[in-house]
């Protein structure tokens, strides 16, 4: 639909679904809309060359764009996303990707390709190596990291990376994720919310993190390897924990008693 004059002023976040084949609709949108700070696109089919030219037009007409959310339901290679990161990477603060194709070419990204990025969210079939590299091109400004249903996520994080601004991590459904992979990611961070629903996290290695002075929300539901011992470690190292989900874990009555003691000390509400 044509964008009326009054709409050009007030709307900054846009959602366009089911764009087919050619990016003519995107170019028309760019010419009619005054302000685009965030854009969410659902692409059913994809031609890398054609769409890259469309996004070049988007960058030229809307330099204020800071957040990009893309759903690509095709089997195209990752080179399309590489082109986008080269176009917008220096200014993007938010990047959300849903991608069913291969991550081939990801390692062509240069260090600090995303120097301003604060939110990184994606759903794909990335391997642990892919994820480690993607994190390595992000800077210390990263605040939110979310990735679901990754492959081989036992030790995905770059050991040399540090994310002191990291506040929220969601790795739910990464069933092979263990403490060994999680600890390096949140170490030295100011993590507030952590979701490891249906993973292999046990909590035993949380001692390596020291005191998590900001962690207030923790979801461990359906972590079948999580036991009383891991719970004791977490309660000891998370003094401001307020919300704790332990449904479908292997916590026993002894573990519950530790929670009660923590409650008596005003640790949990």
């Amino acid at each position: 639909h044509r964008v009326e004059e009054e709409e050009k002023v007030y709307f900054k976040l846009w959602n366009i679904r089911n764009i087919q084949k050619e990016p003519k609709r995107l170019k028309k949108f760019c010419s009619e809309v005054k302000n685009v700070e965030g854009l969410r696109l659902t692409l059913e089919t994809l031609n890398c060359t054609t769409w890259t030219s469309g996004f070049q037009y988007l960058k030229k007409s809307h330099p204020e764009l800071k957040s990009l959310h893309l759903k690509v339901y095709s089997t195209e290679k990752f080179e399309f996303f590489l082109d986008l990161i080269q176009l917008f990477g220096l200014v993007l603060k938010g990047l959300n990707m849903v991608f069913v194709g291969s991550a081939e070419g990801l390692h062509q990204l240069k260090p600090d390709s995303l120097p301003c990025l604060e939110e990184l969210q994606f759903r794909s079939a990335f391997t642990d190596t892919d994820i480690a590299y993607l994190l390595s091109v992000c800077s210390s400004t990263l605040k939110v990291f979310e990735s679901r249903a990754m492959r081989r996520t036992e030790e995905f994080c770059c050991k040399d990376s540090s994310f002191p601004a990291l506040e929220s991590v969601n790795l739910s459904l990464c069933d092979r994720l263990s403490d060994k992979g999680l600890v390096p990611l949140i170490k030295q961070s100011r993590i507030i919310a952590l979701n490891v629903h249906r993973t292999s996290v046990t909590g035993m290695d949380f001692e390596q993190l020291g005191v998590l002075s900001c962690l207030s929300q923790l979801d461990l539901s359906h972590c079948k390897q999580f036991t009383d011992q891991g719970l004791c470690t977490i309660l000891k190292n998370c003094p401001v924990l307020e919300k704790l989900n332990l449904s479908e874990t292997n916590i026993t009555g002894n573990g519950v008693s530790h929670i009660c003691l923590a409650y008596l000390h005003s640790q949990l509400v």
Side-chain angles (χ1 to χ4, degrees):
H1 299 288
R2 182 173 179 80
V3 179
E4 300 299 334
E5 184 64 33
E6 58 269 19
E7 291 178 306
K8 295 182 183 180
V9 178
Y10 296 109
F11 292 98
K12 296 182 180 180
L13 303 177
W14 297 85
N15 185 354
I16 303 178
R17 300 184 60 187
N18 301 326
I19 298 181
Q20 301 290 337
K21 296 182 179 180
E22 301 295 332
K24 294 180 180 178
R25 187 179 173 191
L26 176 61
K27 289 187 177 181
K28 181 181 179 183
F29 162 82
C30 292
S31 64
E32 293 184 347
V33 176
K34 181 179 179 181
N35 197 326
V36 183
E37 293 184 7
L39 181 62
R40 178 172 181 168
L41 286 177
T42 301
L43 309 179
E44 299 294 342
T45 57
L46 185 62
N47 179 292
C48 289
T49 303
T50 304
W51 274 104
T52 298
S53 66
F55 278 99
Q56 287 173 340
Y57 185 83
L58 172 64
K59 180 183 179 181
K60 182 179 179 180
S61 56
H62 291 287
E64 75 279 3
L65 182 66
K66 296 293 188 295
S67 178
L68 199 56
H69 183 158
L70 291 177
K71 291 184 178 181
V72 179
Y73 296 109
S74 73
T75 56
E76 293 289 337
K77 294 182 179 180
F78 195 75
E79 62 189 46
F80 172 67
F81 283 107
L82 295 179
D83 291 339
L84 290 185
I85 292 175
Q86 289 176 357
L87 278 172
F88 299 102
L90 294 179
V91 297
L92 278 183
K93 290 188 176 181
L95 179 60
N96 191 322
M97 302 181 294
V98 178
F99 186 64
V100 299
S102 166
E104 182 180 350
L106 172 67
H107 292 245
Q108 296 176 22
L109 285 176
K110 297 179 181 179
D112 296 323
S113 295
L114 299 163
C116 302
L117 197 68
E118 296 180 358
E119 297 187 15
L120 175 61
Q121 300 168 294
F122 60 88
R123 298 183 187 183
S124 66
F126 287 1
T127 65
D128 47 2
T129 304
D130 297 331
I131 298 157
Y133 193 81
L134 188 56
L135 283 170
S136 73
V137 303
C138 297
S139 72
S140 58
T141 59
L142 191 66
K143 294 182 179 180
V144 177
F145 176 58
E146 177 178 328
S147 182
R148 303 185 187 182
M150 300 178 293
R151 290 172 16 204
R152 295 196 348 241
T153 54
E154 204 166 307
E155 191 177 3
F156 67 85
C157 189
C158 296
K159 294 181 179 179
D160 297 329
S161 297
S162 177
F163 302 100
L166 197 61
E167 297 177 353
S168 177
V169 173
N170 186 342
L171 295 170
S172 60
L173 305 179
C174 301
D175 57 350
R176 293 189 62 187
L177 175 70
S178 67
D179 294 32
K180 190 176 181 180
L182 178 64
V183 166
L185 176 63
I186 61 177
K187 193 172 185 178
Q188 298 179 352
S189 73
R190 294 181 58 82
I191 188 77
I192 296 173
L194 177 61
N195 186 342
V196 287
H197 162 78
R198 207 179 289 275
T199 65
S200 298
V201 169
T202 66
M204 298 295 294
D205 289 349
F206 272 47
E207 288 185 349
Q208 300 177 23
L209 297 171
V211 176
L212 296 174
S213 59
C214 299
L215 185 62
S216 61
Q217 302 175 42
L218 178 58
D219 189 341
L220 290 156
S221 58
H222 291 267
C223 293
K224 300 298 184 181
Q225 299 183 42
F226 190 77
T227 62
D228 295 345
Q229 193 171 355
L231 178 62
C232 291
T233 301
I234 286 178
L235 292 177
K236 181 175 65 175
N237 290 350
C238 305
V240 297
L241 196 60
E242 295 179 352
K243 296 181 180 180
L244 178 62
N245 189 343
L246 296 171
S247 59
E248 301 297 329
T249 61
N250 280 319
I251 298 300
T252 67
N254 289 331
V256 174
S257 66
H258 287 294
I259 296 176
C260 293
L261 288 173
Y263 174 77
L264 290 174
H265 288 87
S266 301
Q267 184 170 318
L268 292 172
V269 294

